Amino acid sequence: MTEQDTSPPGEERPSRSEQKRAAHAIHDLAAGLVALTPAQLDKIELPAGIRTEIDRLRGITAHVARKRELGFVAKLMRRCDEAELDGARAALGRNREQHHRDMAEEQRLEALRQKLIDDDETLTVLIAQHPELDRQHLRSLIRQARRERDRNKPPHAARQLFRLLKEL
């Protein structure tokens, strides 16, 4: 008798590919939880056994042992109800969205910094948008960044300019 014969009538079992996809999704979820900081992990409601195994996994530095322990955490998570892991999935989704927003903001600031270094019109627009800026300091940083770029020096002034733009 095969396993399909023992399943209730009218109910199909998931295909082997679907089972593998689900197992990989749980493994990725486990890896995402391990990558979180302890403070972020404290905000997520997890079954106690999984939380202790994640804490134990953080102490393992050997690659193969870490990989094996991650597989064990994923195995424990597969045994849990989907409802117990929904909070973790939602928290990781919010964390990923926040990361994407932060990266987009940094890229916007980097582009603005590059425009400031390349031409003076952007500086006029920026000062019009933010009249409280210290114009003299901003202009000196831009001049220094241009000099550093022209002389192939490390971008110290460009980094300071980025920090200043980030504070706006």
Side-chain angles (χ1 to χ4, degrees), residues 147-163:
R147 256 188 256 123
E148 290 170 353
R149 180 190 61 189
D150 294 342
R151 295 178 184 169
N152 291 326
K153 299 272 184 178
H156 180 71
R159 288 185 189 126
Q160 284 182 329
L161 183 59
F162 183 79
R163 282 188 224 114

Side-chain angles (χ1 to χ4, degrees), residues 138-150:
L138 189 59
R139 284 192 174 106
S140 75
L141 281 177
I142 292 171
R143 268 195 312 273
Q144 288 173 1
R146 286 176 183 160
R147 256 188 256 123
E148 290 170 353
R149 180 190 61 189
D150 294 342

Side-chain angles (χ1 to χ4, degrees), residues 23-152:
H24 285 296
I26 292 289
H27 190 273
D28 292 343
L29 178 63
L33 289 173
V34 169
L36 293 176
T37 64
Q40 291 172 325
L41 200 58
D42 287 339
K43 296 176 185 174
I44 300 173
E45 190 171 324
L46 290 171
I50 293 174
R51 177 58 202 246
T52 56
E53 288 300 322
I54 288 175
D55 290 338
R56 199 168 115 208
L57 174 60
R58 288 172 188 233
I60 299 173
T61 57
H63 177 70
V64 174
R66 189 172 175 81
K67 187 175 177 181
R68 182 175 49 246
E69 184 67 20
L70 183 61
F72 181 66
V73 170
K75 179 181 175 182
L76 290 176
M77 291 174 76
R78 281 193 299 272
R79 291 180 181 169
C80 293
D81 287 340
E82 291 294 318
E84 289 179 304
L85 300 178
D86 284 343
R89 283 190 184 97
L92 280 179
R94 285 191 302 272
N95 191 26
R96 190 172 295 122
E97 290 170 8
Q98 182 63 39
H99 175 71
H100 288 303
R101 282 193 297 272
D102 292 345
M103 291 302 296
E105 178 65 15
E106 280 193 24
Q107 289 173 354
R108 186 188 70 78
L109 290 175
E110 286 174 3
L112 178 60
R113 175 186 65 187
Q114 194 59 42
K115 284 181 184 177
L116 284 169
I117 293 172
D118 290 341
D119 64 35
D120 290 328
E121 292 176 24
T122 309
L123 176 62
T124 309
V125 172
L126 183 67
I127 290 174
Q129 290 174 347
H130 301 279
E132 74 279 359
L133 280 174
D134 183 5
R135 296 173 185 177
Q136 185 177 1
H137 180 63
L138 189 59
R139 284 192 174 106
S140 75
L141 281 177
I142 292 171
R143 268 195 312 273
Q144 288 173 1
R146 286 176 183 160
R147 256 188 256 123
E148 290 170 353
R149 180 190 61 189
D150 294 342
R151 295 178 184 169
N152 291 326

Side-chain angles (χ1 to χ4, degrees), residues 1-13:
M1 220 163 125
T2 64
E3 287 184 49
Q4 283 185 333
D5 296 337
T6 61
S7 65
E11 191 176 308
E12 288 189 32
R13 294 178 46 122

